[in-house]
Amino acid sequence: MSGNKSNETRYVPQWMTELNNQKTTHFNPVQRVEQPTKEFIKFEGKIIWCAFANVLASYAEDILTQIDSNEMSEVVYGFDMEWPVSFIGKQKKTALIQICTDHSTCYLFHVYYIEKLPSIFVHLINHPRVRWSGVYIKNDFKKLSKDFNIDVSGALSKVIDLGSYANKVLNFDTSSIWSMVNLVQNLLKKDVNKDHNIRMGNWHDTNLNQLQCMYAATDAYISLILYEHLKKIEVK
């Protein structure tokens, strides 16, 4: 996709600041989303959004710089993806890639209209020091590989499947199946907002609304904090 200003304006959500070829698209969801009626987990940090290959590459470079400066032998990031639901026919293309690097930052990369993922982003996905945490996200990476014809073998070798990890840490039967909602309710004693209207929304549309961005960022955030919770139990 073109990175010029006129084309970017077309795809930036109306409630966000125009990109103007700069990495400045941030917002604080706490100030924009009404308080839920239940005690849902929600991401309260900074959401960084982009929909253009050149900006995606720049953010990937930023994350790689963070990895290089980290003294840990490996880092764990929360990961998730969204795509439009298709009730008949072929599954639709990946629309959104969510990466939560810490409790304060979550990236939302809208890739539905990007034909080729930047090589630096593919390098990030397969980075030997990055582990990806989530629920059944091996299938997500396989879908990403198919949608964009990229190698994800490095990512697949580093996936932390939270269901399997929970069974190991909690000494449950390996056949026990967990959903994200089950894990949050049982381990964190909270709930997850899985509103049908949001979950089944038009993820291919780059004009995502605030609730969609909060939903997407929170899923990646939960993928990170569930790992951290299980890790603490494991090392006790």
Side-chain angles (χ1 to χ4, degrees), residues 19-45:
L19 279 174
N20 288 328
N21 272 332
Q22 298 179 4
K23 300 182 297 176
T24 56
T25 309
H26 310 303
F27 77 97
N28 187 335
V30 178
Q31 299 175 351
R32 295 176 177 272
V33 179
E34 293 182 0
Q35 293 294 323
T37 56
K38 297 172 65 177
E39 191 179 1
F40 293 131
I41 289 182
K42 61 181 179 180
F43 178 67
E44 298 184 349

PDB file of all heavy atoms in Angstrom, residues 19-45:
ATOM      1  N   LEU A  19      -2.206   9.609  10.800  1.00  0.00           N
ATOM      2  CA  LEU A  19      -0.821   9.138  10.840  1.00  0.00           C
ATOM      3  C   LEU A  19       0.156  10.143  10.243  1.00  0.00           C
ATOM      4  O   LEU A  19       1.208  10.420  10.801  1.00  0.00           O
ATOM      5  CB  LEU A  19      -0.693   7.818  10.061  1.00  0.00           C
ATOM      6  CG  LEU A  19      -1.120   6.564  10.810  1.00  0.00           C
ATOM      7  CD1 LEU A  19      -1.077   5.372   9.863  1.00  0.00           C
ATOM      8  CD2 LEU A  19      -0.201   6.312  11.991  1.00  0.00           C
ATOM      9  N   ASN A  20      -0.151  10.656   9.049  1.00  0.00           N
ATOM     10  CA  ASN A  20       0.753  11.577   8.365  1.00  0.00           C
ATOM     11  C   ASN A  20       2.167  11.027   8.244  1.00  0.00           C
ATOM     12  O   ASN A  20       3.171  11.736   8.406  1.00  0.00           O
ATOM     13  CB  ASN A  20       0.813  12.930   9.101  1.00  0.00           C
ATOM     14  CG  ASN A  20      -0.473  13.715   8.929  1.00  0.00           C
ATOM     15  OD1 ASN A  20      -1.121  13.617   7.900  1.00  0.00           O
ATOM     16  ND2 ASN A  20      -0.845  14.461   9.949  1.00  0.00           N
ATOM     17  N   ASN A  21       2.250   9.699   7.987  1.00  0.00           N
ATOM     18  CA  ASN A  21       3.547   9.049   7.804  1.00  0.00           C
ATOM     19  C   ASN A  21       4.412   9.077   9.057  1.00  0.00           C
ATOM     20  O   ASN A  21       5.609   8.938   8.998  1.00  0.00           O
ATOM     21  CB  ASN A  21       4.338   9.669   6.653  1.00  0.00           C
ATOM     22  CG  ASN A  21       4.002   9.021   5.329  1.00  0.00           C
ATOM     23  OD1 ASN A  21       3.631   7.857   5.280  1.00  0.00           O
ATOM     24  ND2 ASN A  21       4.131   9.772   4.257  1.00  0.00           N
ATOM     25  N   GLN A  22       3.812   9.298  10.234  1.00  0.00           N
ATOM     26  CA  GLN A  22       4.579   9.317  11.468  1.00  0.00           C
ATOM     27  C   GLN A  22       4.007   8.300  12.419  1.00  0.00           C
ATOM     28  O   GLN A  22       2.828   7.974  12.386  1.00  0.00           O
ATOM     29  CB  GLN A  22       4.535  10.711  12.119  1.00  0.00           C
ATOM     30  CG  GLN A  22       5.143  11.809  11.252  1.00  0.00           C
ATOM     31  CD  GLN A  22       5.041  13.157  11.937  1.00  0.00           C
ATOM     32  OE1 GLN A  22       4.585  13.253  13.069  1.00  0.00           O
ATOM     33  NE2 GLN A  22       5.452  14.197  11.244  1.00  0.00           N
ATOM     34  N   LYS A  23       4.866   7.811  13.324  1.00  0.00           N
ATOM     35  CA  LYS A  23       4.421   6.806  14.287  1.00  0.00           C
ATOM     36  C   LYS A  23       3.855   7.509  15.518  1.00  0.00           C
ATOM     37  O   LYS A  23       4.455   7.540  16.581  1.00  0.00           O
ATOM     38  CB  LYS A  23       5.582   5.907  14.682  1.00  0.00           C
ATOM     39  CG  LYS A  23       6.194   5.170  13.527  1.00  0.00           C
ATOM     40  CD  LYS A  23       7.294   4.278  13.988  1.00  0.00           C
ATOM     41  CE  LYS A  23       8.416   5.070  14.600  1.00  0.00           C
ATOM     42  NZ  LYS A  23       9.471   4.203  15.134  1.00  0.00           N
ATOM     43  N   THR A  24       2.661   8.066  15.368  1.00  0.00           N
ATOM     44  CA  THR A  24       2.111   8.866  16.454  1.00  0.00           C
ATOM     45  C   THR A  24       0.701   8.444  16.815  1.00  0.00           C
ATOM     46  O   THR A  24       0.001   9.161  17.504  1.00  0.00           O
ATOM     47  CB  THR A  24       2.093  10.355  16.063  1.00  0.00           C
ATOM     48  OG1 THR A  24       1.353  10.506  14.849  1.00  0.00           O
ATOM     49  CG2 THR A  24       3.496  10.882  15.860  1.00  0.00           C
ATOM     50  N   THR A  25       0.259   7.306  16.361  1.00  0.00           N
ATOM     51  CA  THR A  25      -1.127   6.903  16.591  1.00  0.00           C
ATOM     52  C   THR A  25      -1.247   6.178  17.922  1.00  0.00           C
ATOM     53  O   THR A  25      -1.090   4.974  17.996  1.00  0.00           O
ATOM     54  CB  THR A  25      -1.627   6.016  15.459  1.00  0.00           C
ATOM     55  OG1 THR A  25      -1.365   6.663  14.235  1.00  0.00           O
ATOM     56  CG2 THR A  25      -3.122   5.773  15.579  1.00  0.00           C
ATOM     57  N   HIS A  26      -1.495   6.931  18.986  1.00  0.00           N
ATOM     58  CA  HIS A  26      -1.634   6.382  20.327  1.00  0.00           C
ATOM     59  C   HIS A  26      -2.955   6.866  20.921  1.00  0.00           C
ATOM     60  O   HIS A  26      -3.443   7.936  20.587  1.00  0.00           O
ATOM     61  CB  HIS A  26      -0.498   6.834  21.247  1.00  0.00           C
ATOM     62  CG  HIS A  26       0.859   6.637  20.678  1.00  0.00           C
ATOM     63  ND1 HIS A  26       1.325   5.420  20.253  1.00  0.00           N
ATOM     64  CD2 HIS A  26       1.861   7.525  20.466  1.00  0.00           C
ATOM     65  CE1 HIS A  26       2.551   5.551  19.813  1.00  0.00           C
ATOM     66  NE2 HIS A  26       2.894   6.825  19.916  1.00  0.00           N
ATOM     67  N   PHE A  27      -3.521   6.099  21.822  1.00  0.00           N
ATOM     68  CA  PHE A  27      -4.621   6.616  22.605  1.00  0.00           C
ATOM     69  C   PHE A  27      -4.712   5.839  23.899  1.00  0.00           C
ATOM     70  O   PHE A  27      -4.208   4.726  24.005  1.00  0.00           O
ATOM     71  CB  PHE A  27      -5.960   6.551  21.850  1.00  0.00           C
ATOM     72  CG  PHE A  27      -6.584   5.184  21.804  1.00  0.00           C
ATOM     73  CD1 PHE A  27      -7.564   4.837  22.704  1.00  0.00           C
ATOM     74  CD2 PHE A  27      -6.188   4.256  20.852  1.00  0.00           C
ATOM     75  CE1 PHE A  27      -8.149   3.583  22.651  1.00  0.00           C
ATOM     76  CE2 PHE A  27      -6.764   3.006  20.814  1.00  0.00           C
ATOM     77  CZ  PHE A  27      -7.752   2.672  21.704  1.00  0.00           C
ATOM     78  N   ASN A  28      -5.278   6.456  24.868  1.00  0.00           N
ATOM     79  CA  ASN A  28      -5.454   5.812  26.166  1.00  0.00           C
ATOM     80  C   ASN A  28      -6.890   5.342  26.276  1.00  0.00           C
ATOM     81  O   ASN A  28      -7.794   6.148  26.429  1.00  0.00           O
ATOM     82  CB  ASN A  28      -5.134   6.787  27.304  1.00  0.00           C
ATOM     83  CG  ASN A  28      -5.140   6.097  28.654  1.00  0.00           C
ATOM     84  OD1 ASN A  28      -5.802   5.076  28.827  1.00  0.00           O
ATOM     85  ND2 ASN A  28      -4.405   6.644  29.604  1.00  0.00           N
ATOM     86  N   PRO A  29      -7.129   4.014  26.177  1.00  0.00           N
ATOM     87  CA  PRO A  29      -8.507   3.516  26.153  1.00  0.00           C
ATOM     88  C   PRO A  29      -9.280   3.787  27.427  1.00  0.00           C
ATOM     89  O   PRO A  29     -10.488   3.836  27.429  1.00  0.00           O
ATOM     90  CB  PRO A  29      -8.322   2.005  25.927  1.00  0.00           C
ATOM     91  CG  PRO A  29      -6.948   1.711  26.409  1.00  0.00           C
ATOM     92  CD  PRO A  29      -6.141   2.939  26.115  1.00  0.00           C
ATOM     93  N   VAL A  30      -8.577   3.979  28.540  1.00  0.00           N
ATOM     94  CA  VAL A  30      -9.265   4.216  29.805  1.00  0.00           C
ATOM     95  C   VAL A  30     -10.071   5.505  29.734  1.00  0.00           C
ATOM     96  O   VAL A  30     -11.137   5.628  30.319  1.00  0.00           O
ATOM     97  CB  VAL A  30      -8.235   4.293  30.955  1.00  0.00           C
ATOM     98  CG1 VAL A  30      -8.947   4.577  32.266  1.00  0.00           C
ATOM     99  CG2 VAL A  30      -7.469   2.988  31.057  1.00  0.00           C
ATOM    100  N   GLN A  31      -9.580   6.474  28.986  1.00  0.00           N
ATOM    101  CA  GLN A  31     -10.255   7.756  28.906  1.00  0.00           C
ATOM    102  C   GLN A  31     -11.407   7.746  27.905  1.00  0.00           C
ATOM    103  O   GLN A  31     -12.195   8.671  27.872  1.00  0.00           O
ATOM    104  CB  GLN A  31      -9.242   8.831  28.497  1.00  0.00           C
ATOM    105  CG  GLN A  31      -8.107   8.995  29.499  1.00  0.00           C
ATOM    106  CD  GLN A  31      -7.053   9.967  29.020  1.00  0.00           C
ATOM    107  OE1 GLN A  31      -7.086  10.398  27.870  1.00  0.00           O
ATOM    108  NE2 GLN A  31      -6.125  10.322  29.882  1.00  0.00           N
ATOM    109  N   ARG A  32     -11.518   6.680  27.093  1.00  0.00           N
ATOM    110  CA  ARG A  32     -12.454   6.705  25.983  1.00  0.00           C
ATOM    111  C   ARG A  32     -13.557   5.649  26.072  1.00  0.00           C
ATOM    112  O   ARG A  32     -14.528   5.723  25.359  1.00  0.00           O
ATOM    113  CB  ARG A  32     -11.708   6.522  24.653  1.00  0.00           C
ATOM    114  CG  ARG A  32     -10.763   7.656  24.338  1.00  0.00           C
ATOM    115  CD  ARG A  32      -9.989   7.357  23.073  1.00  0.00           C
ATOM    116  NE  ARG A  32      -9.114   8.452  22.706  1.00  0.00           N
ATOM    117  CZ  ARG A  32      -9.460   9.478  21.955  1.00  0.00           C
ATOM    118  NH1 ARG A  32     -10.661   9.553  21.473  1.00  0.00           N
ATOM    119  NH2 ARG A  32      -8.607  10.437  21.667  1.00  0.00           N
ATOM    120  N   VAL A  33     -13.383   4.654  26.910  1.00  0.00           N
ATOM    121  CA  VAL A  33     -14.347   3.564  26.961  1.00  0.00           C
ATOM    122  C   VAL A  33     -15.074   3.592  28.294  1.00  0.00           C
ATOM    123  O   VAL A  33     -14.456   3.720  29.347  1.00  0.00           O
ATOM    124  CB  VAL A  33     -13.630   2.204  26.774  1.00  0.00           C
ATOM    125  CG1 VAL A  33     -14.641   1.073  26.853  1.00  0.00           C
ATOM    126  CG2 VAL A  33     -12.903   2.180  25.439  1.00  0.00           C
ATOM    127  N   GLU A  34     -16.396   3.469  28.260  1.00  0.00           N
ATOM    128  CA  GLU A  34     -17.174   3.487  29.486  1.00  0.00           C
ATOM    129  C   GLU A  34     -16.831   2.296  30.367  1.00  0.00           C
ATOM    130  O   GLU A  34     -16.436   1.237  29.889  1.00  0.00           O
ATOM    131  CB  GLU A  34     -18.667   3.442  29.139  1.00  0.00           C
ATOM    132  CG  GLU A  34     -19.157   4.687  28.425  1.00  0.00           C
ATOM    133  CD  GLU A  34     -20.641   4.626  28.147  1.00  0.00           C
ATOM    134  OE1 GLU A  34     -21.263   3.611  28.519  1.00  0.00           O
ATOM    135  OE2 GLU A  34     -21.162   5.578  27.577  1.00  0.00           O
ATOM    136  N   GLN A  35     -16.982   2.467  31.646  1.00  0.00           N
ATOM    137  CA  GLN A  35     -16.703   1.390  32.581  1.00  0.00           C
ATOM    138  C   GLN A  35     -17.659   0.222  32.350  1.00  0.00           C
ATOM    139  O   GLN A  35     -18.867   0.426  32.182  1.00  0.00           O
ATOM    140  CB  GLN A  35     -16.857   1.891  34.031  1.00  0.00           C
ATOM    141  CG  GLN A  35     -15.805   2.916  34.425  1.00  0.00           C
ATOM    142  CD  GLN A  35     -14.426   2.300  34.464  1.00  0.00           C
ATOM    143  OE1 GLN A  35     -14.249   1.156  34.863  1.00  0.00           O
ATOM    144  NE2 GLN A  35     -13.439   3.052  34.017  1.00  0.00           N
ATOM    145  N   PRO A  36     -17.161  -1.021  32.325  1.00  0.00           N
ATOM    146  CA  PRO A  36     -18.049  -2.167  32.123  1.00  0.00           C
ATOM    147  C   PRO A  36     -18.914  -2.400  33.345  1.00  0.00           C
ATOM    148  O   PRO A  36     -18.592  -1.977  34.452  1.00  0.00           O
ATOM    149  CB  PRO A  36     -17.060  -3.330  31.932  1.00  0.00           C
ATOM    150  CG  PRO A  36     -15.823  -2.895  32.651  1.00  0.00           C
ATOM    151  CD  PRO A  36     -15.765  -1.408  32.476  1.00  0.00           C
ATOM    152  N   THR A  37     -20.047  -3.071  33.141  1.00  0.00           N
ATOM    153  CA  THR A  37     -20.951  -3.352  34.253  1.00  0.00           C
ATOM    154  C   THR A  37     -20.462  -4.547  35.059  1.00  0.00           C
ATOM    155  O   THR A  37     -20.869  -4.732  36.183  1.00  0.00           O
ATOM    156  CB  THR A  37     -22.369  -3.637  33.723  1.00  0.00           C
ATOM    157  OG1 THR A  37     -22.297  -4.714  32.769  1.00  0.00           O
ATOM    158  CG2 THR A  37     -22.931  -2.405  33.035  1.00  0.00           C
ATOM    159  N   LYS A  38     -19.566  -5.384  34.480  1.00  0.00           N
ATOM    160  CA  LYS A  38     -18.961  -6.500  35.176  1.00  0.00           C
ATOM    161  C   LYS A  38     -17.476  -6.217  35.318  1.00  0.00           C
ATOM    162  O   LYS A  38     -16.941  -5.308  34.700  1.00  0.00           O
ATOM    163  CB  LYS A  38     -19.185  -7.792  34.386  1.00  0.00           C
ATOM    164  CG  LYS A  38     -20.640  -8.165  34.237  1.00  0.00           C
ATOM    165  CD  LYS A  38     -20.789  -9.343  33.294  1.00  0.00           C
ATOM    166  CE  LYS A  38     -20.149 -10.590  33.864  1.00  0.00           C
ATOM    167  NZ  LYS A  38     -20.356 -11.762  32.969  1.00  0.00           N
ATOM    168  N   GLU A  39     -16.827  -7.015  36.147  1.00  0.00           N
ATOM    169  CA  GLU A  39     -15.399  -6.813  36.358  1.00  0.00           C
ATOM    170  C   GLU A  39     -14.615  -7.516  35.259  1.00  0.00           C
ATOM    171  O   GLU A  39     -14.018  -8.568  35.451  1.00  0.00           O
ATOM    172  CB  GLU A  39     -14.963  -7.320  37.733  1.00  0.00           C
ATOM    173  CG  GLU A  39     -13.554  -6.881  38.092  1.00  0.00           C
ATOM    174  CD  GLU A  39     -13.132  -7.353  39.464  1.00  0.00           C
ATOM    175  OE1 GLU A  39     -13.928  -8.045  40.120  1.00  0.00           O
ATOM    176  OE2 GLU A  39     -12.005  -7.025  39.874  1.00  0.00           O
ATOM    177  N   PHE A  40     -14.641  -6.911  34.101  1.00  0.00           N
ATOM    178  CA  PHE A  40     -13.872  -7.432  32.982  1.00  0.00           C
ATOM    179  C   PHE A  40     -12.411  -6.990  33.097  1.00  0.00           C
ATOM    180  O   PHE A  40     -12.125  -5.894  33.558  1.00  0.00           O
ATOM    181  CB  PHE A  40     -14.421  -6.909  31.646  1.00  0.00           C
ATOM    182  CG  PHE A  40     -15.792  -7.417  31.297  1.00  0.00           C
ATOM    183  CD1 PHE A  40     -16.777  -6.531  30.893  1.00  0.00           C
ATOM    184  CD2 PHE A  40     -16.089  -8.774  31.348  1.00  0.00           C
ATOM    185  CE1 PHE A  40     -18.043  -6.987  30.547  1.00  0.00           C
ATOM    186  CE2 PHE A  40     -17.344  -9.235  31.001  1.00  0.00           C
ATOM    187  CZ  PHE A  40     -18.326  -8.339  30.601  1.00  0.00           C
ATOM    188  N   ILE A  41     -11.521  -7.849  32.652  1.00  0.00           N
ATOM    189  CA  ILE A  41     -10.137  -7.412  32.478  1.00  0.00           C
ATOM    190  C   ILE A  41     -10.092  -6.480  31.277  1.00  0.00           C
ATOM    191  O   ILE A  41     -10.741  -6.722  30.263  1.00  0.00           O
ATOM    192  CB  ILE A  41      -9.208  -8.621  32.236  1.00  0.00           C
ATOM    193  CG1 ILE A  41      -9.066  -9.439  33.523  1.00  0.00           C
ATOM    194  CG2 ILE A  41      -7.834  -8.165  31.769  1.00  0.00           C
ATOM    195  CD1 ILE A  41      -8.121 -10.613  33.388  1.00  0.00           C
ATOM    196  N   LYS A  42      -9.324  -5.435  31.385  1.00  0.00           N
ATOM    197  CA  LYS A  42      -9.164  -4.525  30.252  1.00  0.00           C
ATOM    198  C   LYS A  42      -7.732  -4.006  30.222  1.00  0.00           C
ATOM    199  O   LYS A  42      -7.083  -3.832  31.252  1.00  0.00           O
ATOM    200  CB  LYS A  42     -10.149  -3.360  30.325  1.00  0.00           C
ATOM    201  CG  LYS A  42      -9.992  -2.481  31.560  1.00  0.00           C
ATOM    202  CD  LYS A  42     -11.035  -1.375  31.558  1.00  0.00           C
ATOM    203  CE  LYS A  42     -10.892  -0.513  32.812  1.00  0.00           C
ATOM    204  NZ  LYS A  42     -11.893   0.568  32.827  1.00  0.00           N
ATOM    205  N   PHE A  43      -7.254  -3.794  29.042  1.00  0.00           N
ATOM    206  CA  PHE A  43      -5.923  -3.237  28.864  1.00  0.00           C
ATOM    207  C   PHE A  43      -5.980  -1.742  29.117  1.00  0.00           C
ATOM    208  O   PHE A  43      -6.816  -1.046  28.550  1.00  0.00           O
ATOM    209  CB  PHE A  43      -5.433  -3.515  27.441  1.00  0.00           C
ATOM    210  CG  PHE A  43      -4.079  -2.937  27.153  1.00  0.00           C
ATOM    211  CD1 PHE A  43      -2.958  -3.423  27.802  1.00  0.00           C
ATOM    212  CD2 PHE A  43      -3.929  -1.918  26.228  1.00  0.00           C
ATOM    213  CE1 PHE A  43      -1.707  -2.891  27.541  1.00  0.00           C
ATOM    214  CE2 PHE A  43      -2.685  -1.383  25.950  1.00  0.00           C
ATOM    215  CZ  PHE A  43      -1.567  -1.875  26.614  1.00  0.00           C
ATOM    216  N   GLU A  44      -5.092  -1.248  29.967  1.00  0.00           N
ATOM    217  CA  GLU A  44      -5.138   0.161  30.358  1.00  0.00           C
ATOM    218  C   GLU A  44      -3.906   0.933  29.903  1.00  0.00           C
ATOM    219  O   GLU A  44      -3.667   2.050  30.364  1.00  0.00           O
ATOM    220  CB  GLU A  44      -5.315   0.268  31.882  1.00  0.00           C
ATOM    221  CG  GLU A  44      -6.618  -0.359  32.365  1.00  0.00           C
ATOM    222  CD  GLU A  44      -6.848  -0.169  33.851  1.00  0.00           C
ATOM    223  OE1 GLU A  44      -5.900   0.262  34.540  1.00  0.00           O
ATOM    224  OE2 GLU A  44      -7.965  -0.443  34.317  1.00  0.00           O
ATOM    225  N   GLY A  45      -3.134   0.344  29.007  1.00  0.00           N
ATOM    226  CA  GLY A  45      -1.937   1.026  28.533  1.00  0.00           C
ATOM    227  C   GLY A  45      -2.152   1.742  27.219  1.00  0.00           C
ATOM    228  O   GLY A  45      -3.270   2.118  26.853  1.00  0.00           O
TER     229      GLY A  45
END
